[in-house]
Amino acid sequence: MCTHRRGVERGNVVDGVDNPSLAHDEPERHRFITPQEVATRFGIHVSTVYRWVKRGTLTDFRQGRHIHLDIDEVSGVLNSASLSVRMDAYVNLVVAQAPPLGPDQLMRIGTVFGD
């Protein structure tokens, strides 16, 4: 699946060609940053950013050999990843605090799963 686009949109112009589909009273503005800026700003390794682009987690906008990423999309991906990490930590904490299973409970679980 190809997730990159050629040309960084600025106003109503894409790749220097007037784009009437973007021409309206208040054009949608995207803020773009480089993978290195993403890594620095969000405290992750730049290779992680490139891996997310390769996997299709992030859409990259290419202008020549330069890669740009939409900062709003990056923030959304990082917020969802952060939520997942926090949820895993919470589940691990609950499991660690749970009392050990008794012999009767272990036997019932074994019959349910066929052990």
Side-chain angles (χ1 to χ4, degrees):
M1 170 169 85
C2 182
T3 61
H4 56 267
R5 300 181 197 162
R6 294 276 178 209
V8 177
E9 299 173 9
R10 290 192 175 90
N12 331 351
V13 178
V14 177
D15 281 344
V17 177
D18 201 23
N19 187 344
S21 69
L22 294 174
H24 46 78
D25 292 322
E26 294 184 26
E28 183 179 335
R29 300 281 183 201
H30 294 279
R31 294 184 317 178
F32 294 96
I33 58 178
T34 66
Q36 184 62 49
E37 290 169 327
V38 171
T40 302
R41 181 178 287 191
F42 295 101
I44 58 176
H45 199 275
V46 71
S47 64
T48 301
V49 178
Y50 285 111
R51 186 171 51 249
W52 286 348
V53 168
K54 185 176 180 179
R55 288 182 184 168
T57 304
L58 291 174
T59 304
D60 65 321
F61 299 86
R62 295 178 185 248
Q63 193 168 30
R65 291 178 43 193
H66 301 282
I67 295 175
H68 302 276
L69 304 163
D70 185 335
I71 193 167
D72 294 330
E73 181 183 12
V74 171
S75 294
V77 166
L78 288 170
N79 285 337
S80 67
S82 174
L83 177 62
S84 174
V85 168
R86 289 193 310 253
M87 182 60 77
D88 288 345
Y90 176 73
V91 168
N92 289 336
L93 177 67
V94 169
V95 169
Q97 293 176 347
L101 297 174
D104 191 41
Q105 292 171 316
L106 290 171
M107 186 178 73
R108 280 193 239 150
I109 289 173
T111 58
V112 167
F113 290 107
D115 290 342

